[in-house]
Amino acid sequence: MARKDLHEEPFDDSTIAKLEIFQDYAKAWIPTFVMQPRVSTICIFDFFAGTGYDKNEVPGSPIRILEEIKKQIGNIFKQKVKIKVYLNEFEPEKKDQKKFELLNQACSEYLENNQDVKRAIEIIYFNEDFENLFSKLIPSIKQFPSLVYLDQNGIKYLSDKYLLELEKLKQTDFLYFVSSSYFLRFGNKPEFKEHVDIDMSLARKDPYKCIHRNIIEQLRKKLPSNTDLKLYPFSLKKGSNIYGIIFGASHLRAVDKFLSIAWRRNGINGEADFDIDEDFAKKQDDMFDKKLTKIDQFKENVRSMVLDKAITNNFELFSFALEHGHIGSHAADCLKGMKKNGEVSFEGISPLVTYDNVYKNKKKIEYQILKNETQ
Ligand SMILES: C[S@@+](CC[C@H](N)C(=O)[O-])C[C@H]1O[C@@H](n2cnc3c(N)ncnc32)[C@H](O)[C@@H]1O
C-alpha cells in the first residue's frame, strides 16, 4: 500500500487536531503524576516521533511533549520528579535515517534553548523498527507511570500482539492513531487481516463515517473479559478518509481527563471533529418529529435509570457517565433538572458527579425519588 509521508508537506488540519489532542492529554497527564507525593519517576514514550517540526516549523508530537514539560517545570523541580522521554523514529526501507537526524537535531536545539527542561528530563533516542523496540521497552513502560503515543501510519501496529500487551499495563495510558477507513478498503485482504482481524460484515453495518467507532467496539471484544482497560474513540475526517485516535487507560481518572478533552473539542458529540451522529439536524427537527441529540438521549437514559432506582447515588452515576463516553457534568445537569421538576431530592445544590467527589473525597450522596410519573 503506497503511503504518503506526513513530513513531506506541512501538517494539515486533521493532523494538527490529532497533535492538539495528544498535547492536551500530556498537559493533563504530567501534573497528575508530578503532584503525587510517592511518584519519583514518570515516562513518556513516543514510538513514532517524526522529525520534531513540519515544513512550516509547526511542532510535532515530540516538541509538544517538551513544551508541556516546560509548563510544569516549577512543580517538577519542587516535587523532585524525574521525567524520562523515549523518542523513536525509523524509516523502514531507508539506509539514510534523515528523519531520525532531524528529530535529534530539533529536540537537542529545543533543549539547548530551554536549559530548565534539559535539566529536568532524561531524553533517550531510538532509531529502531517499532516491531523490535516495543517488546524491548515493555519493562521500562511497566516500571513507572507511563504515557505512550503510537502515532503510526496505517493500522498495522494495532494488532493483538501490541494491544493485548498494552492491556496488561495497569499504570499506562496510551493514544493510538489509526487510519480507520483503510479497514473498509482493504480489511478483507489476507495481508491486512494478518495484522488486525476485524469482522468486515460488522464493520459495514454502520455508516462509513462511523468506522472508527465500530473498530473500537470490535477491539473491546478482543480484550480479556475481566479487563480494566477502557478504550475510547475520537474520529477525525480528512477528505473522504476517516482516521482516529484510540485512547486507552485502566484508571478512571485518566478516562475522565480524556473525555473532558474530547468534549471540550466537540461539545455536541465528544468523539469526532465532525457531526458524526447528525446532531445539528436533530436540534433543528420540528417539535413533532424530534430525534434526541446524543447528550439529550444520554440524559433521558440517566433519568430513566434514576427513576427506576438502577442508579441511586453519585458513585453509580459517575461510573455510568464514563462508561457511556460522557462527562460527569452531563449527568449532573440531568439530576439538577430532575430536582427542579420535583422528581428527585438530594442533599445540597450539586449532585457531585465528578472524579474528585467520588474517588478523591469519597463523598457519597444518595438520590431519593419523590415522584415517578413514568410508571
Ligand atoms: C504519523 S508519523 C508520526 C508523526 C509524529 N508523531 C509527528 O508529530 O510528527 C509516523 C512516523 O513513523 C515512522 N515509522 C514508520 N514505520 C516505522 C516503524 N516500523 N518503526 C518506527 N517508526 C516508523 C515514519 O517515518 C513517520 O515519521
Side-chain angles (χ1 to χ4, degrees):
M1 203 185 312
R3 246 183 231 121
K4 222 166 109 196
D5 188 332
L6 180 75
H7 300 99
E8 272 169 11
E9 285 173 18
F11 294 151
D12 57 35
D13 289 350
S14 71
T15 300
I16 291 184
K18 166 189 75 179
L19 291 172
E20 285 174 354
I21 294 173
F22 282 6
Q23 181 166 6
D24 282 348
Y25 196 70
K27 183 189 253 161
W29 184 87
I30 296 167
T32 304
F33 289 98
V34 166
M35 299 314 287
Q36 275 184 30
R38 281 176 299 278
V39 172
S40 63
T41 305
I42 60 173
C43 302
I44 303 179
F45 296 79
D46 189 350
F47 277 104
F48 303 86
T51 51
Y53 296 93
D54 78 351
K55 295 247 141 139
N56 291 345
E57 298 290 299
V58 175
S61 50
I63 298 295
R64 287 170 193 259
I65 292 167
L66 299 179
E67 285 173 345
E68 290 311 317
I69 293 172
K70 170 102 181 160
K71 288 180 194 156
Q72 285 296 318
I73 206 76
N75 288 329
I76 293 167
F77 284 126
K78 202 159 86 203
Q79 299 289 111
K80 297 191 176 63
V81 175
K82 185 168 172 190
I83 304 194
K84 289 175 145 193
V85 180
Y86 295 77
L87 301 178
N88 180 51
E89 167 56 36
F90 181 67
E91 292 174 274
E93 275 138 40
K94 298 212 174 144
K95 192 159 168 280
D96 283 349
Q97 292 289 316
K98 288 229 174 64
K99 286 171 110 177
F100 176 69
E101 281 167 31
L102 286 171
L103 169 71
N104 212 312
Q105 205 176 307
C107 295
S108 305
E109 209 168 279
Y110 182 93
L111 294 178
E112 280 316 305
N113 294 332
N114 295 276
Q115 289 289 329
D116 47 358
V117 181
K118 191 175 179 182
R119 276 190 288 127
I121 70 171
E122 181 185 350
I123 192 160
I124 308 137
Y125 298 97
F126 297 89
N127 177 216
E128 291 186 37
D129 196 326
F130 173 76
E131 220 155 313
N132 307 324
L133 186 63
F134 183 68
S135 51
K136 216 158 95 180
L137 289 186
I138 285 285
S140 310
I141 301 179
K142 261 189 200 150
Q143 199 180 359
F144 300 111
S146 293
L147 172 57
V148 174
Y149 291 104
L150 300 135
D151 191 7
Q152 64 178 337
N153 292 318
I155 59 100
K156 184 172 167 187
Y157 301 111
L158 192 57
S159 68
D160 291 1
K161 73 173 164 186
Y162 307 114
L163 185 68
L164 296 181
E165 204 54 56
L166 288 164
E167 189 274 333
K168 295 181 199 148
L169 307 173
K170 301 302 172 211
Q171 36 175 10
T172 300
D173 302 353
F174 60 85
L175 290 115
Y176 256 109
F177 180 67
V178 192
S179 308
S180 299
S181 52
Y182 285 18
F183 282 99
L184 293 174
R185 284 158 62 193
F186 313 108
N188 272 330
K189 295 195 187 298
E191 63 273 26
F192 205 90
K193 278 207 171 297
E194 155 204 339
H195 297 305
V196 190
D197 193 4
I198 287 293
D199 180 336
M200 291 312 296
S201 56
L202 271 183
R204 290 186 203 283
K205 84 173 171 39
D206 291 330
Y208 176 86
K209 63 185 173 171
C210 299
I211 182 62
H212 185 62
R213 175 158 75 195
N214 183 298
I215 300 290
I216 287 169
E217 280 163 16
Q218 296 204 40
L219 293 177
R220 285 184 185 127
K221 292 185 196 140
K222 289 175 183 261
L223 302 177
S225 59
N226 62 348
T227 189
D228 289 327
L229 178 65
K230 287 149 192 80
L231 300 177
Y232 292 87
F234 196 93
S235 301
L236 299 161
K237 194 167 187 295
K238 180 160 117 187
S240 61
N241 287 323
I242 304 289
Y243 299 86
I245 290 172
I246 301 176
F247 172 77
S250 298
H251 203 290
L252 289 184
R253 183 183 48 215
V255 171
D256 183 46
K257 286 191 187 303
F258 178 75
L259 290 177
S260 302
I261 291 167
W263 280 99
R264 254 200 325 268
R265 258 203 110 76
N266 188 327
I268 303 286
N269 59 49
E271 63 159 307
D273 71 345
F274 58 96
D275 188 11
I276 189 166
D277 292 317
E278 283 154 36
D279 282 323
F280 279 116
K282 288 179 200 158
K283 274 178 185 281
Q284 274 142 27
D285 283 345
D286 65 51
M287 284 177 61
F288 303 106
D289 183 26
K290 206 154 179 64
K291 293 195 193 78
L292 292 177
T293 62
K294 178 170 174 174
I295 295 181
D296 289 341
Q297 182 63 63
F298 170 73
K299 288 181 179 168
E300 255 323 293
N301 296 347
V302 167
R303 182 169 167 266
S304 310
M305 300 278 285
V306 171
L307 291 177
D308 290 348
K309 299 190 181 162
I311 290 174
T312 60
N313 58 53
N314 58 330
F315 283 36
E316 290 166 0
L317 185 53
F318 186 66
S319 304
F320 181 80
L322 296 196
E323 202 181 306
H324 290 82
H326 283 264
I327 41 178
S329 62
H330 295 168
D333 288 348
C334 173
L335 260 286
K336 282 182 202 161
M338 290 176 78
K339 187 173 188 180
K340 207 166 151 202
N341 293 339
E343 291 177 310
V344 294
S345 78
F346 50 82
E347 205 187 300
I349 308 163
S350 164
L352 305 183
V353 204
T354 65
Y355 181 84
D356 280 2
N357 278 308
V358 174
Y359 288 99
K360 212 164 141 194
N361 308 330
K362 301 196 174 14
K363 199 163 172 205
K364 193 173 199 175
I365 55 165
E366 300 293 333
Y367 307 136
Q368 276 96 29
I369 309 300
L370 300 179
K371 65 172 185 211
N372 182 355
E373 279 169 5
T374 60
Q375 285 176 343

